[in-house]
């Protein structure tokens, strides 16, 4: 979801954003690329870096992933009152935001692959 929301990211930045190590991220990106969901492109600002961005197939998959995520959210919060649901989701959003500064890196513009 990070490349969908932030655009093209360096593999290392992507690993930090999702709390992964570089080796795991390298393998994950390779599998996603083989499946056709992402592509790797040279960075236009740093010749040593490679950016990861969603492919057309990856972009097309976004609606399905977001639908599954919404269903999971409904399942997890189903027994809560509307106010309780809003409070729980707001708390989770705050937790996510508090983690973001520790791994925040701006996305680079996509290179033409």
């Amino acid at each position: 979801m990070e490349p969908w929301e932030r655009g093209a990211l360096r593999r290392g930045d992507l690993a930090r954003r999702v709390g992964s190590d570089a080796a795991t991220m390298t393998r994950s990106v390779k599998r996603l690329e083989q499946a056709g969901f992402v592509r790797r492109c040279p960075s236009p600002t740093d010749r040593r870096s490679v950016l990861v961005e969603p492919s057309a197939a990856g972009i097309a998959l976004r609606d399905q992933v977001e639908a599954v995520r919404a269903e999971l959210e409904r399942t997890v919060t189903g027994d809560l009152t509307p106010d309780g649901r809003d409070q729980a989701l707001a708390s989770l959003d705050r937790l996510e935001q508090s983690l973001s500064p520790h791994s925040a890196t701006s996305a680079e513009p996509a290179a033409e692959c």
Side-chain angles (χ1 to χ4, degrees), residues 1-9 13-14 17-18 52-54 62 96-97 99-101 103-110:
M1 294 185 69
E2 289 292 324
W4 287 332
E5 294 173 1
R6 302 196 190 298
L9 294 164
D13 295 335
L14 183 57
R17 293 208 59 80
V18 301
V52 177
E53 64 182 10
R62 184 176 186 171
E96 183 179 18
Q97 292 303 315
L99 294 173
S100 293
S103 60
T105 303
S106 61
E108 292 192 35

Side-chain angles (χ1 to χ4, degrees), residues 39-42 51 53 110-113:
R39 63 184 187 161
R40 293 182 287 175
C41 302
L51 302 178
E53 64 182 10
E112 291 296 321
C113 290

Side-chain angles (χ1 to χ4, degrees), residues 11 22 24-26 33 42 50 54 78 103-104:
R11 200 172 26 231
T24 300
M25 184 54 58
T26 297
E33 187 176 35
V50 173
S103 60

Side-chain angles (χ1 to χ4, degrees), residues 1-104:
M1 294 185 69
E2 289 292 324
W4 287 332
E5 294 173 1
R6 302 196 190 298
L9 294 164
R10 289 186 303 260
R11 200 172 26 231
D13 295 335
L14 183 57
R16 280 188 293 282
R17 293 208 59 80
V18 301
S20 180
D21 61 77
T24 300
M25 184 54 58
T26 297
R27 288 188 302 271
S28 295
V29 168
K30 184 177 181 180
R31 284 192 303 269
L32 288 167
E33 187 176 35
Q34 288 172 342
F37 297 127
V38 299
R39 63 184 187 161
R40 293 182 287 175
C41 302
S43 169
T45 60
D46 181 354
R47 293 171 57 174
R48 298 168 296 158
S49 292
V50 173
L51 302 178
V52 177
E53 64 182 10
S55 65
I59 292 168
L61 187 64
R62 184 176 186 171
D63 289 341
Q64 292 174 0
V65 170
E66 288 178 346
V68 169
R69 185 177 184 183
E71 179 60 30
L72 177 61
E73 185 178 293
R74 283 190 294 278
T75 300
V76 169
T77 62
D79 292 339
L80 299 175
T81 65
D83 285 342
R85 178 188 172 281
D86 291 344
Q87 290 175 2
L89 293 174
S91 293
L92 291 172
D93 283 340
R94 284 192 301 275
L95 288 170
E96 183 179 18
Q97 292 303 315
S98 72
L99 294 173
S100 293
H102 300 288
S103 60

